[in-house]
Amino acid sequence: FGLHPNAEIGYLTQTGETLLKTVQEVQGGGAGGGASGGDDIVNDVLKDFLEKLPEQFSMFDINARVKEKTPFVIVCLQECERMNILLFEIKRSLEELQLGLQGSLNITDAMETLSRSLAINNVPATWTKFAYFSKKNLANWFNDMLDRVEQLTQWSEELNLPKSLWISGLFNPMSFLTAIMQITAREKSLPLDSMVLQTNVTNTLDQKEITEYPETGAYIHGLFLEGAGWELGRTGDEGYLTDSTLKELHPSVPVVHVIAVRVEEKSEVAQYACPVYVTSMRGPTFVFTGNLRMESD
């Protein structure tokens, strides 16, 4: 149908993953809660998670370090509070299941459901209720959650914004982007509703190379492309969108400089209005519309 070969690769990969996941769920359901092999798997996962699970953030200590509640600080506080809710639910449910498996508590339907999710490597529904959009399996989801906690830990220690923020690691990425507009609007004494976001892609692939804050706006990373590629700029020029490279389904985007400008000042010439989503599921995971430079003539 004239589609890029990557489209077929993506379709077949998704179909295969769906098939294997269905088989895994059927096998997990048939094993039953009394199967010793299944219990061993659940116990191993449960112990591993409880050992790695970090403590909740001390909001009292963090608030005590706040000197001024800037928009960025407020975002940090909100993210820590939401992470605390998730960490509490994970710890509560795991400890409850552990007591149930030890015979100290009666096994409830909720424990059975959690046990089955751990056995088949699915994120439990009670966790996703307090979490964020994600399509990862349980093992990858848990490691991703630990990375999110690590970023918040570093951010909340001195309440200094990271030189480049891993925006994919936030519960509410749009709150951070709104904070950029709020700060710019206050600095320039402009109404917030007259501001829009503009994204300028740098030529820096590794966010660790970002050592200074930008004069305005903020640096972010953790974005990926789907259905396109990215060509780095030369001699200081900004890169641009290109056709997808074969077998490279989701190339990473270099560090992005996000700034807030007035509506009439936003650059739209040779720019592609690119929707940004939290996951490839799209739909309700929409965050905002960025602008990416298209290939020059």
Side-chain angles (χ1 to χ4, degrees):
F1 299 103
L3 295 177
H4 193 280
N6 281 355
E8 183 179 10
I9 295 174
Y11 168 73
L12 294 176
T13 300
Q14 185 177 9
T15 302
E17 289 176 348
T18 302
L19 175 61
L20 293 174
K21 183 178 180 180
T22 302
V23 172
Q24 186 181 41
E25 290 176 349
V26 171
Q27 288 180 335
S36 59
D39 282 350
D40 289 341
I41 295 174
V42 171
N43 270 309
D44 290 343
V45 174
L46 192 152
K47 291 178 181 178
D48 181 54
F49 282 5
L50 283 176
E51 288 176 359
K52 295 179 179 178
L53 191 67
E55 294 294 327
Q56 296 181 45
F57 292 98
S58 173
M59 298 308 300
F60 178 81
D61 292 339
I62 295 176
N63 277 293
R65 294 195 290 269
V66 175
K67 297 178 181 178
E68 181 184 0
K69 281 198 173 184
T70 64
F72 288 152
V73 170
I74 292 174
V75 172
C76 179
L77 294 175
Q78 291 174 342
E79 290 290 320
C80 289
E81 289 173 352
R82 291 194 62 175
M83 183 59 74
N84 276 351
I85 295 173
L86 177 58
L87 292 174
F88 173 81
E89 175 58 25
I90 294 174
K91 185 175 183 180
R92 182 203 64 78
S93 59
L94 289 177
E95 289 180 341
E96 186 178 69
L97 177 59
Q98 188 176 51
L99 291 173
L101 294 175
Q102 292 171 351
S104 300
L105 291 176
N106 292 328
I107 297 292
T108 64
D109 290 342
M111 292 183 196
E112 284 279 8
T113 302
L114 174 60
S115 177
R116 185 170 180 272
S117 295
L118 297 182
I120 63 177
N121 201 26
N122 276 352
V123 182
T126 54
W127 297 4
T128 58
K129 178 182 177 181
F130 300 104
Y132 30 80
F133 289 110
S134 177
K135 297 180 67 177
K136 292 181 170 63
N137 60 36
L138 178 58
N140 292 330
W141 181 92
F142 191 83
N143 290 330
D144 176 76
M145 187 267 294
L146 295 180
D147 291 338
R148 292 166 182 260
V149 172
E150 177 61 25
Q151 173 170 257
L152 288 177
T153 299
Q154 296 178 1
W155 190 0
S156 61
E157 281 181 355
E158 299 295 334
L159 294 171
N160 291 328
L161 180 69
K163 299 295 191 301
S164 177
L165 184 82
W166 177 38
I167 196 165
S168 312
L170 300 181
F171 282 85
N172 184 8
M174 192 60 215
S175 65
F176 178 77
L177 299 174
T178 301
I180 294 176
M181 291 192 290
Q182 290 174 333
I183 290 175
T184 303
R186 292 178 184 179
E187 289 176 349
K188 298 183 178 181
S189 300
L190 297 172
L192 185 61
D193 57 5
S194 69
M195 309 294 291
V196 292
L197 293 170
Q198 179 170 311
T199 53
N200 302 319
V201 183
T202 71
N203 290 320
T204 304
L205 293 171
D206 187 357
Q207 69 275 7
K208 295 179 181 178
E209 296 179 9
I210 302 295
T211 58
E212 296 181 355
Y213 293 108
E215 293 183 4
T216 181
Y219 290 122
I220 63 172
H221 63 274
L223 301 178
F224 297 86
L225 290 171
E226 184 176 50
W230 187 261
E231 180 73 23
L232 291 175
R234 299 178 181 178
T235 63
D237 293 336
E238 186 178 353
Y240 51 85
L241 285 171
T242 62
D243 291 334
S244 294
T245 302
L246 185 62
K247 297 183 180 180
E248 192 174 359
L249 272 63
H250 298 101
S252 59
V253 179
V255 174
V256 178
H257 181 202
V258 183
I259 60 175
V261 297
R262 300 185 67 170
V263 176
E264 58 270 20
E265 296 175 352
K266 182 171 182 176
S267 176
E268 295 182 348
V269 178
Q271 298 283 324
Y272 169 63
C274 180
V276 180
Y277 298 90
V278 177
T279 73
S280 57
M281 179 175 63
R282 303 188 182 185
T285 70
F286 176 78
V287 181
F288 79 113
T289 300
N291 55 282
L292 300 177
R293 184 184 174 196
M294 294 186 287
E295 186 173 4
S296 56
D297 295 335

